[in-house]
């Protein structure tokens, strides 16, 4: 938000700021305005500086979104070294699916490999170039089986579509959420530790997605049955 406000110059996006992070807003504002900080972590300073330099090179606001996404994945991967196995697995799943979906959409828009590579994260289970190869050669099913050794039948419909190369980007997005849900469900009976919070936060995110979908359906007089299959699992289900 602060980077976009800086890029827009005359626009004030301060109403979009959420003061719930571990760093105060003023420190973040100083970092964005000066690209320097004596109080914030070095990795954050480096990423913000890198994102802004990319923006100045290409003069495209989209660079800020992509840069923030990739920096987010870098930070997640950094954190994964300190987390338990389940949460580390969740991080890999998130990054991998982001890459797969980005490649699939990029290829459908006839973007070049170079353009697509700029949008991909190198923090996944394989290199960015390998994700392009997987999608181009219709090997999404092979990749999915590697990151999801589970034989749960809940994935069977999507696995069949991956095998015959008919799975869509929106279906991959749903599959990502489903896999995250099932992965975190391993901590279903935990009453302490980070898995409890992670499951709760994922449940909250699903509730927001579901509400948006239902409201959109109501506004456009779309029958509930038409969106039922896209409803995410609810917390506690």
């Amino acid at each position: 938000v602060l980077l976009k406000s800086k890029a827009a110059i005359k626009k004030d996006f301060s109403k979009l700021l959420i003061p719930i992070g571990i760093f105060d807003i003023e420190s973040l504002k100083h970092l964005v305005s000066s690209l320097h900080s004596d109080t914030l972590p070095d990795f954050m300073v480096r990423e913000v500086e890198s994102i802004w330099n990319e923006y100045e090179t290409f003069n495209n606001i989209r660079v800020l979104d992509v840069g923030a996404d990739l920096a987010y994945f870098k930070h997640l991967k950094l954190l994964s070294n300190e987390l338990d196995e389940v949460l580390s697995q969740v991080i890999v799943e998130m990054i991998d699916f982001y890459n797969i979906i980005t490649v699939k959409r990029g290829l459908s828009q006839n973007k070049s490999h170079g353009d697509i590579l700029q949008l991909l994260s190198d923090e996944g289970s394989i290199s960015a170039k390998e994700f392009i190869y997987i999608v181009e050669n219709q090997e999404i099913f092979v990749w999915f089986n590697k990151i999801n050794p589970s034989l749960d039948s809940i994935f069977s419909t999507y696995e069949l579509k991956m095998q015959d190369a008919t799975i869509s980007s929106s279906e991959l997005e749903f599959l990502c959420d489903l896999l995250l849900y099932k992965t975190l469900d391993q901590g279903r009976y935990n009453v302490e530790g980070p898995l409890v919070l992670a499951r709760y936060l994922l449940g909250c995110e699903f509730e927001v997605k579901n509400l948006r979908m239902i409201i959109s359906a109501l506004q456009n007089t779309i029958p509930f049955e038409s969106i039922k299959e896209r409803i995410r699992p609810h917390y506690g289900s």
Side-chain angles (χ1 to χ4, degrees):
V1 171
L2 291 172
L3 284 168
K4 285 186 176 180
S5 182
K6 181 177 180 178
I9 301 177
K10 294 182 180 180
K11 293 186 178 180
D12 181 14
F13 299 143
S14 58
K15 290 183 179 180
L16 300 176
L17 298 175
I18 306 174
I20 59 173
I22 60 175
F23 304 114
D24 63 89
I25 297 295
E26 290 306 314
S27 296
L28 298 176
K29 285 182 177 179
H30 175 72
L31 169 59
V32 170
S33 63
S34 66
L35 303 181
H36 174 77
S37 175
D38 293 324
T39 58
L40 298 175
D42 289 340
F43 76 85
M44 183 181 291
V45 177
R46 288 195 301 270
E47 290 299 332
V48 169
E49 182 180 11
S50 175
I51 292 170
W52 185 253
N53 288 339
E54 285 284 307
Y55 168 74
E56 289 194 313
T57 299
F58 296 100
N59 195 29
N60 186 334
I61 202 75
R62 174 66 177 146
V63 169
L64 300 180
D65 289 320
V66 174
D69 285 342
L70 299 185
Y72 171 64
F73 290 140
K74 280 185 182 179
H75 190 202
L76 282 181
K77 196 62 179 289
L78 186 65
L79 288 175
S80 71
N81 297 325
E82 305 171 9
L83 299 173
D84 64 26
E85 185 178 347
V86 174
L87 289 177
S88 295
Q89 183 182 349
V90 164
I91 290 172
V92 170
E93 291 167 0
M94 289 173 61
I95 298 172
D96 274 17
F97 265 98
Y98 166 86
N99 281 341
I100 287 287
I101 294 168
T102 299
V103 172
K104 188 169 181 62
R105 285 187 170 143
L107 292 176
S108 69
Q109 296 167 1
N110 296 317
K111 289 185 177 180
S112 68
H113 285 192
D115 288 340
I116 294 173
L117 278 172
Q118 291 180 0
L119 306 175
L120 302 182
S121 170
D122 283 316
E123 308 301 328
S125 62
I126 54 178
S127 70
K129 287 185 177 180
E130 287 177 286
F131 282 106
I132 295 178
Y133 176 87
I134 284 172
V135 178
E136 276 193 323
N137 291 276
Q138 301 178 3
E139 294 185 5
I140 296 179
F141 176 70
V142 177
W143 156 79
F144 182 71
N145 277 341
K146 287 181 179 178
I147 68 165
N148 173 48
S150 167
L151 298 177
D152 198 318
S153 60
I154 196 172
F155 302 115
S156 58
T157 300
Y158 301 97
E159 288 173 333
L160 288 173
K161 289 189 175 185
M162 283 186 273
Q163 285 178 301
D164 60 22
T166 59
I167 193 164
S168 66
S169 296
S170 59
E171 287 172 329
L172 284 169
E173 287 178 338
F174 185 90
L175 179 59
C176 175
D177 285 346
L178 193 58
L179 182 59
L180 294 178
Y181 173 79
K182 294 299 290 186
T183 301
L184 286 176
D185 203 45
Q186 297 175 53
R188 185 184 186 95
Y189 300 108
N190 289 21
V191 294
E192 295 181 351
L195 282 183
V196 179
L197 178 59
R199 289 188 70 244
Y200 173 73
L201 292 175
L202 185 68
C204 290
E205 183 179 331
F206 285 177
E207 286 179 359
V208 171
K209 288 183 178 181
N210 289 340
L211 285 171
R212 284 176 175 168
M213 204 179 306
I214 292 169
I215 291 171
S216 177
L218 290 172
Q219 289 178 334
N220 294 282
T221 62
I222 298 173
F224 179 72
E225 290 300 319
S226 300
I227 65 167
K228 191 174 181 180
E229 291 185 353
R230 290 185 288 156
I231 293 292
R232 269 58 174 179
H234 60 273
Y235 184 71
S237 62

